[in-house]
Amino acid sequence: MQPDWIAPEDEARTIALYKRVNGTTGPIARTRAHWLTRLIARLLASSTWRRRNGRPQRDVAAMAEHWRRIFGLEKYWTLERVENDTAYAEIRFPCSLEGTGDVRACHRLMEYDRALLRKMGGDLVVLRSRADPSVTGGCKVAIRMKGDARTDLVPAHENPGPAPSA
């Protein structure tokens, strides 16, 4: 289902824009100037939040759907399940860091998504990153309400071993 803010003929332009942004910020995230990635991500998230009528959400299911809607290309952002106040999703959008092995750069690049979810009242954790060459398919992420004290989710950039399955 296409959101109301994007006409079907604009989908190609939206994809091209996201690829340009990812293609610029991804490589920057791998350099000593990686702090620029955070700055750019937060500015873009604030702009997106205003332009696409972002709103705080009351639960993780609504938050995950709102996050998908804000991006607008829902075929690339799949909500897999919601259980135990945690939404699990997969991101299949093309990424400039795929297969690089630089999972820390992925963490920095995902600041855009984390910034959007903070505005909604939540937190995002990347569980499996396609930057890890052993990961196939999409990146796996989890969404929880901000302030959730559980520590059972292991972020991909903190996992010393192979990428965990979600």
Side-chain angles (χ1 to χ4, degrees):
M1 181 171 114
Q2 202 65 352
D4 56 6
W5 61 265
I6 183 170
E9 61 272 7
D10 291 337
E11 183 174 310
R13 281 189 289 183
T14 301
I15 291 170
L17 172 64
Y18 286 167
K19 283 183 178 179
R20 270 194 316 275
V21 169
N22 185 281
T24 301
T25 55
I28 292 171
R30 300 188 73 197
T31 71
R32 290 171 57 159
H34 60 76
W35 57 270
L36 281 170
T37 302
R38 176 178 285 174
L39 177 66
I40 292 166
R42 289 179 178 177
L43 289 171
L44 288 172
S46 289
S47 173
T48 300
W49 184 256
R50 285 188 307 275
R51 278 191 348 266
R52 301 204 180 135
N53 298 318
R55 298 286 178 256
Q57 301 297 309
R58 293 182 181 203
D59 62 66
V60 294
M63 197 174 306
E65 286 300 333
H66 195 54
W67 172 66
R68 289 179 67 225
R69 185 197 66 77
I70 283 177
F71 275 99
L73 303 170
E74 295 176 10
K75 64 185 174 188
Y76 294 109
W77 284 265
T78 306
L79 179 59
E80 294 181 332
R81 69 187 187 281
V82 178
E83 61 186 32
N84 196 22
D85 294 323
T86 305
Y88 295 91
E90 182 176 65
I91 302 171
R92 290 187 167 268
F93 194 80
C95 180
S96 61
L97 298 174
E98 189 167 349
T100 63
D102 198 341
V103 180
R104 289 189 184 281
C106 169
H107 175 73
R108 293 188 283 264
L109 185 62
M110 291 300 290
E111 180 61 24
Y112 176 78
D113 297 75
R114 285 193 305 275
L116 284 173
L117 283 155
R118 278 193 300 271
K119 289 177 178 297
M120 287 180 215
D123 289 315
L124 177 125
V125 175
V126 176
L127 302 172
R128 286 183 46 212
S129 167
R130 287 181 293 163
D132 180 336
S134 70
V135 172
T136 57
C139 294
K140 302 287 186 175
V141 300
I143 298 169
R144 285 191 172 153
M145 297 303 291
K146 193 183 308 183
D148 189 310
R150 291 177 285 175
T151 59
D152 57 315
L153 300 176
V154 179
H157 72 284
E158 293 179 6
N159 186 351
S165 56

